[in-house]
Amino acid sequence: MHVKAKQIAFGGLLLAVTVVCMALGSVIETNTLFLLAAAAFFVGIVIREFGLRTGVAFYLAAVLLGFLVTPNKCYVITFAAMGFYIFLGIEAVWMFLAKRPQMGHRMGIFWFAKYFIFNLVYLPCLFGFRSMLFQKVVSDQLLLAAVMVGQIAILVYDKAYQYVQGTLWEKWRKRIL
């Protein structure tokens, strides 16, 4: 019983920090992507600490609470996309591959799955919401450049997530848990 209470308390604190990061993204416009990425990283922390089912519940609670509390709903959608990528593109695929050591080329499959899931989210948003993202009519060359920038940005996002999980969270984990 004590372990579940500790999980719930820690998850509630992380949920509060996640929603505060989303709300601050609406207030501090210059750091919006940083704050939304930080909020999405908490999804990965919960998944790694308490499992995939708890992480999915945390993710869904953060999106729902974000829609209720955050003034700019577009930022909640951005958080939802970033969190979805972390929970499905990184953590779920990693857990799936960890259970199958006999599979060959696991790192190649891992990277392919990450890029596939990212593009599954990114490309429909880029092409489907073109009028929301760009103020003027966009040429095909500029749209292709946006696709390429997204492919590079996901590498930066992945490296930042690996750094947070591998370095920062490991230091803080010993103090908190």
Side-chain angles (χ1 to χ4, degrees):
M1 185 68 165
H2 178 261
V3 175
K4 288 289 185 184
K6 189 175 182 179
Q7 278 184 346
I8 291 171
F10 185 67
L13 288 173
L14 282 184
L15 185 61
V17 173
T18 300
V19 173
V20 166
C21 285
M22 279 191 273
L24 280 177
S26 297
V27 175
I28 307 171
E29 293 288 330
T30 56
N31 289 336
T32 299
L33 283 177
F34 172 79
L35 289 166
L36 293 176
F41 290 168
F42 291 127
V43 173
I45 289 172
V46 170
I47 290 172
R48 286 196 182 180
E49 291 300 321
F50 306 121
L52 197 58
R53 289 177 57 188
T54 305
V56 170
F58 177 86
Y59 168 72
L60 293 174
V63 171
L64 180 64
L65 198 56
F67 273 118
L68 294 174
V69 173
T70 305
N72 193 338
K73 306 308 181 210
C74 288
Y75 293 162
V76 178
I77 294 170
T78 305
F79 162 78
M82 290 176 160
F84 181 78
Y85 171 74
I86 285 178
F87 118 71
L88 185 64
I90 297 176
E91 298 298 335
V93 171
W94 182 260
M95 288 178 184
F96 174 80
L97 291 173
K99 292 178 183 176
R100 289 156 181 80
Q102 73 278 6
M103 285 181 74
H105 307 292
R106 290 190 312 167
M107 284 308 291
I109 293 169
F110 180 61
W111 278 97
F112 175 78
K114 286 189 342 180
Y115 269 96
F116 179 77
I117 291 168
F118 168 73
N119 285 313
L120 191 68
V121 173
Y122 179 65
L123 295 178
C125 289
L126 188 63
F127 292 111
F129 301 109
R130 188 185 283 190
S131 62
M132 281 181 61
L133 297 173
F134 304 106
Q135 292 179 351
K136 298 178 184 177
V137 176
V138 180
S139 67
D140 291 337
Q141 291 83 9
L142 189 59
L143 205 55
L144 182 62
V147 169
M148 290 296 128
V149 167
Q151 305 308 311
I152 295 168
I154 198 61
L155 286 174
V156 174
Y157 186 70
D158 263 356
K159 288 294 179 188
Y161 180 69
Q162 288 174 4
Y163 177 75
V164 166
Q165 284 288 355
T167 305
L168 296 179
W169 176 242
E170 285 303 315
K171 288 180 184 177
W172 282 93
R173 181 176 191 261
K174 295 171 189 168
R175 296 178 186 163
I176 294 173
L177 298 177

